[in-house]
Amino acid sequence: MAIKQDPEKELDHRLALALEKYKGNPELLITALQEAQDIFGYLPRKVMIHVANALTVPLAEVYSVVSFYSLFSTVPTGRHRIEVCLGTACYVRGAEKLLRELQARCGTGPGKSSPDELFSIATTRCVGACSAAPVIKTGDELHGEMNSERLAQLLEELQKR
Ligand code: FES
């Protein structure tokens, strides 16, 4: 007979194992937070408390790092995180309009997930590809010279993954 494990407990267990290697090393805070986010998909308060305790870092410092870096999220994220670059070059070339269109197509805004939990939208500073502005980032991929048509294609492609 198969024994079902509580998914939440399993995540807690994985986090506890992962944090073993960071114990007492406050300088590894960002790496530990990344690993914790990989496990949970985002960083709820209870996870930040575990990280703070394991690394012996004040919780306020954990909060400040999490809110500073756009790669961290404190709310559940969609399967695909889509970041719109709002750096100067992208902004000048229509990134804001692109962001509005993305929000309308996904039915959500920055920092939130789409109702189907497929997409999360975020904004970011320059990602170093200004010559291809406006740029959208998904995971490690950069998508340059974005426009309405390319955005529609990208969303369609992501839906299939
Ligand atoms: S401003 Fe967007 S890539 Fe540089």
Side-chain angles (χ1 to χ4, degrees):
M1 183 174 89
I3 299 170
K4 271 195 176 177
Q5 200 173 14
D6 179 349
E8 194 67 22
K9 275 191 179 163
E10 194 187 327
L11 293 180
D12 289 344
H13 180 66
R14 284 177 57 197
L15 178 66
L17 285 178
L19 290 178
E20 278 298 315
K21 57 183 177 279
Y22 302 111
K23 264 197 171 151
N25 288 306
E27 68 280 1
L28 297 176
L29 178 58
I30 291 175
T31 314
L33 286 169
Q34 281 175 316
E35 190 161 347
Q37 183 164 277
D38 286 345
I39 293 169
F40 280 81
Y42 70 111
L43 294 168
R45 181 179 158 78
K46 73 163 192 176
V47 170
M48 289 192 270
I49 291 171
H50 283 308
V51 171
N53 290 339
L55 278 72
T56 59
V57 172
L59 185 57
E61 192 179 327
V62 174
Y63 271 118
S64 112
V65 167
V66 167
S67 54
F68 181 79
Y69 290 100
S70 67
L71 76 143
F72 294 127
S73 175
T74 56
V75 292
T77 54
R79 182 150 35 112
H80 302 289
R81 180 177 164 87
I82 304 173
E83 294 175 68
V84 178
C85 176
L86 290 183
T88 307
C90 289
Y91 189 85
V92 168
R93 287 183 160 170
E96 207 181 19
K97 183 176 170 260
L98 208 55
L99 177 62
R100 279 199 302 272
E101 190 172 336
L102 179 64
Q103 291 177 164
R105 283 181 182 273
C106 294
T108 189
K112 297 179 197 149
S113 297
S114 56
D116 57 9
E117 296 183 351
L118 259 184
F119 304 111
S120 296
I121 298 175
T123 58
T124 182
R125 299 275 174 207
C126 180
V127 291
C130 304
S131 60
V135 175
I136 281 182
K137 187 175 175 219
T138 56
D140 295 334
E141 293 174 19
L142 295 179
H143 309 271
E145 296 172 10
M146 291 301 291
N147 55 33
S148 289
E149 205 172 279
R150 283 169 176 255
L151 180 63
Q153 282 170 357
L154 175 64
L155 292 175
E156 210 173 289
E157 205 179 285
L158 291 172
Q159 271 172 337
K160 292 178 193 159
R161 289 192 200 166

